[in-house]
Amino acid sequence: MKNVYLDSAATTQMRDEVITRMTSVMKEVYGNPSSTHSFGRSAKSLVEQARKTVAGYLNVKASEIIFTSGGTEADNLALNSAVRDLGVKRIITSKIEHHAVLYTVEQLQDCFDVEVNYVDLDSCGNIKESHLEELLKASDKKTLVSLMHVNNEIGNKLDIKDVGKLCKEHGALFHSDCVQSVGHYDLDFSEIPVDFTAVSAHKFHGPKGVGFAFIRKNSGLKPLIFGGEQERGHRAGTEGVHNIVGLEEALKLSLDNLAEEKAYISDLKAHFIKKLKAEIPGVKFNGDCVDATKSTYTLVNVCLPVPADKALMLLFQLDLKGIACSKGSACQSGSDKGSHVLNAFLEEEDLKKPSVRFSFSRYNTQEELDYVVNTLKEFIES
């Protein structure tokens, strides 16, 4: 039996170079970055160098990068503070956002009576920009738009630059969850009119438990967590120096090797789609994942022609064969409600069939993908 990891949209394998650098920091640089003695200054210098490195890759100011525990905290920081501190009275989002956004928006609606509007989707789960523009024109209330750059379940890409321009034309703030795109795309936030983003290191071969928020200068956002004056007063708590350095190293390696690794992973995805179509009649692909111009190269969401009486056993059988994949995003594993993303746009007939997300990384091979397709074929035909 092979062990095949195809769940990199949930989390990625850490690079050896990242582990080596983190281990060195944990052994040798153990001071508190807020301390003024030499041990503290050494730790502080690593944090600030990491901040400069991240900012350099995104072409923003170092002061606009705030380290957090991950994407969820960064999303919460932007959304909560926008309502609490910036006077936002209306939020426009979609029903296929990550729950870090959707649940936060629901809480803000309940606690602050924020008006919430959802953008319509097309039959492939894409945001209808024409409807977004209608919503932006429909009210004079101070508005924040929250739409993710790359969907974590179906891989659809938002035209983040166009949406940002549309928001600016109508005086709206723009927040985008970029957890599935930073580290996988060359993004220049000096040219993308977004006010706030969320990023997580473990999505690009870095450590878990660390990420960052990009917060446009002079935004007026205030802290979500209070205590010390760390992170320029935006986020209290002693910085995890080893994690921050791990994030820096992972982002550097991902973006320095982006062209080569993107080409390799894109070929894997194309091979997988071709093999599925050839070996499994009736297979369907959710979202726009077969269109390289509209979908990320890192994942594919597959609707399989499996009878209802066998569907519940699919992931279990794949796991027994050593194949790791996901029914939906990992953040909702254990839930039997199905994917809120697929429920938002799929037809009832396709919702009755099992859909599986396979997500790829530089560590996968075509041989592994052939094994997965053969395993799926055997299960369906048995």
Side-chain angles (χ1 to χ4, degrees):
M1 183 183 74
K2 292 180 178 291
N3 283 312
V4 181
Y5 186 76
L6 290 176
D7 206 16
S8 288
T11 196
T12 54
Q13 178 180 340
M14 285 178 65
R15 295 179 190 261
D16 290 341
E17 302 94 327
V18 173
I19 296 171
T20 298
R21 180 132 191 255
M22 290 177 67
T23 302
S24 174
V25 168
M26 284 189 284
K27 287 179 178 179
E28 300 170 9
V29 189
Y30 47 84
N32 188 317
S34 295
S35 298
T36 57
H37 48 60
S38 63
F39 294 88
R41 293 197 304 273
S42 295
K44 184 70 170 178
S45 68
L46 288 181
V47 172
E48 294 311 314
Q49 180 54 56
R51 198 186 315 278
K52 290 177 183 177
T53 299
V54 171
Y57 278 110
L58 299 180
N59 200 16
V60 299
K61 296 179 175 62
S63 60
E64 296 175 311
I65 302 298
I66 304 300
F67 292 117
T68 66
S69 63
T72 294
E73 183 189 332
D75 283 331
N76 272 259
L77 171 60
L79 295 169
N80 278 284
S81 187
V83 171
R84 185 190 61 193
D85 307 318
L86 305 184
V88 165
K89 302 296 183 184
R90 185 175 70 135
I91 295 175
I92 300 173
T93 186
S94 82
K95 292 186 177 180
I96 60 170
E97 300 303 302
H98 192 280
H99 280 139
V101 169
L102 290 179
Y103 289 165
T104 304
V105 168
E106 289 175 8
Q107 184 74 6
L108 291 169
Q109 186 177 30
D110 290 342
C111 296
F112 294 93
D113 198 28
V114 174
E115 179 185 341
V116 179
N117 300 137
Y118 295 96
V119 185
D120 289 344
L121 309 171
D122 66 18
S123 60
C124 289
N126 295 302
I127 301 299
K128 289 187 177 181
E129 286 190 32
S130 59
H131 186 232
L132 173 60
E133 186 168 16
E134 288 177 22
L135 290 173
L136 286 167
K137 291 178 178 177
S139 174
D140 292 329
K141 291 182 180 179
K142 187 162 186 181
T143 298
L144 177 138
V145 173
S146 181
L147 296 170
M148 68 200 316
H149 185 199
V150 172
N151 188 274
N152 58 306
E153 291 196 31
I154 56 175
N156 288 9
K157 290 190 298 185
L158 180 77
D159 191 329
I160 191 171
K161 186 178 286 189
D162 276 2
V163 169
K165 289 178 179 177
L166 194 60
C167 291
K168 295 310 157 205
E169 287 171 8
H170 294 87
L173 294 169
F174 180 33
H175 163 261
S176 185
D177 184 315
C178 292
V179 166
Q180 294 289 342
S181 60
V182 168
H184 301 288
Y185 290 92
D186 186 11
L187 300 174
D188 184 344
F189 285 142
S190 71
E191 296 183 351
I192 300 171
V194 62
D195 296 289
F196 320 112
T197 68
V199 180
S200 195
H202 74 104
K203 305 296 187 178
F204 48 85
H205 304 293
K208 299 173 183 64
V210 63
F212 64 87
F214 163 67
I215 300 175
R216 188 74 67 183
K217 188 177 180 181
N218 299 323
S219 69
L221 253 65
K222 295 182 180 178
L224 184 67
I225 299 173
F226 295 90
E229 292 300 314
Q230 294 91 348
E231 295 303 297
R232 292 167 168 78
H234 278 292
R235 201 263 189 186
T238 302
E239 297 95 339
V241 180
H242 61 294
N243 270 342
I244 290 171
V245 167
L247 180 155
E248 175 195 21
E249 188 73 13
L251 187 64
K252 181 178 184 297
L253 289 167
S254 292
L255 294 180
D256 286 353
N257 295 288
L258 181 60
E260 178 185 351
E261 294 183 358
K262 182 179 179 181
Y264 176 74
I265 299 167
S266 296
D267 285 346
L268 287 180
K269 177 177 173 177
H271 175 79
F272 190 56
I273 291 172
K274 182 178 179 181
K275 194 81 173 178
L276 284 168
K277 288 179 176 178
E279 299 294 334
I280 303 178
V283 67
K284 294 183 179 180
F285 298 91
N286 298 319
D288 262 326
C289 56
V290 296
D291 187 338
T293 65
K294 296 181 179 179
S295 172
T296 182
Y297 62 95
T298 56
L299 70 87
V300 62
N301 195 302
V302 183
C303 181
L304 295 163
V306 176
D309 59 336
K310 294 177 64 175
L312 292 175
M313 294 298 293
L314 176 58
L315 287 185
F316 176 69
Q317 290 298 322
L318 290 175
D319 191 31
L320 287 179
K321 294 288 187 178
I323 299 167
C325 54
S326 180
K327 183 179 179 181
S329 65
C331 300
Q332 63 184 14
S333 59
S335 169
D336 60 0
K337 296 178 181 178
S339 163
H340 71 285
V341 173
L342 299 182
N343 285 333
F345 71 91
L346 281 188
E347 298 291 336
E348 189 67 30
E349 179 183 350
D350 288 333
L351 286 172
K352 294 177 182 178
K353 301 171 186 175
S355 288
V356 183
R357 181 188 68 186
F358 298 96
S359 44
F360 320 104
S361 81
R362 62 191 294 270
Y363 296 106
N364 292 123
T365 65
Q366 283 195 10
E367 181 186 16
E368 290 178 336
L369 301 184
D370 291 343
Y371 171 71
V372 172
V373 174
N374 290 335
T375 302
L376 288 170
K377 184 178 180 181
E378 289 174 4
F379 176 77
I380 292 169
E381 294 178 350
S382 64

